[in-house]
Amino acid sequence: WILHKLKEQGCRITKQRVLLLDIILNEECTSCKEIHYKAVKKDKTIGLATVYRMIGTLEEIGVINRSNMYKINA
């Protein structure tokens, strides 16, 4: 349903966005830097700015907030 919400907001569903979502959903992450560290192990082209933009987008659509340590609000 998160991918659907992203599409509704006009976001393209890229390989990098799917990878970041997978990390956020399935791993314990407490910061954007930690998410970036894990993402770079799988795709060396992901930049820290991409992670911050993705977190910002997820906050905008209401699926996460930084105060709950990047947990998805189901």
Side-chain angles (χ1 to χ4, degrees), residues 6-8 13 15 29-30 34 39 42 45 52 55 70:
L6 286 170
K7 284 181 185 178
E8 284 178 348
I13 305 305
K15 184 178 86 174
C29 296
T30 58
E34 189 175 351
K42 298 176 183 179
T45 65
Y52 276 100
I55 293 298
Y70 304 110

Side-chain angles (χ1 to χ4, degrees), residues 1-11 13 21 61:
W1 65 274
I2 296 170
L3 292 176
H4 179 70
K5 282 192 142 207
L6 286 170
K7 284 181 185 178
E8 284 178 348
Q9 294 296 313
C11 294
I13 305 305
L21 264 178
I61 63 175

Side-chain angles (χ1 to χ4, degrees), residues 44-55:
K44 294 189 186 316
T45 65
I46 293 179
L48 186 56
T50 302
V51 176
Y52 276 100
R53 277 193 304 272
M54 181 65 170
I55 293 298

Side-chain angles (χ1 to χ4, degrees), residues 20-45:
L20 291 173
L21 264 178
D22 184 55
I23 290 168
I24 294 165
L25 286 169
N26 298 311
E27 300 187 29
E28 291 290 322
C29 296
T30 58
S31 69
C32 286
K33 288 183 181 181
E34 189 175 351
I35 294 167
H36 177 252
Y37 176 78
K38 292 178 181 190
V40 167
K41 288 181 179 178
K42 298 176 183 179
D43 181 348
K44 294 189 186 316
T45 65

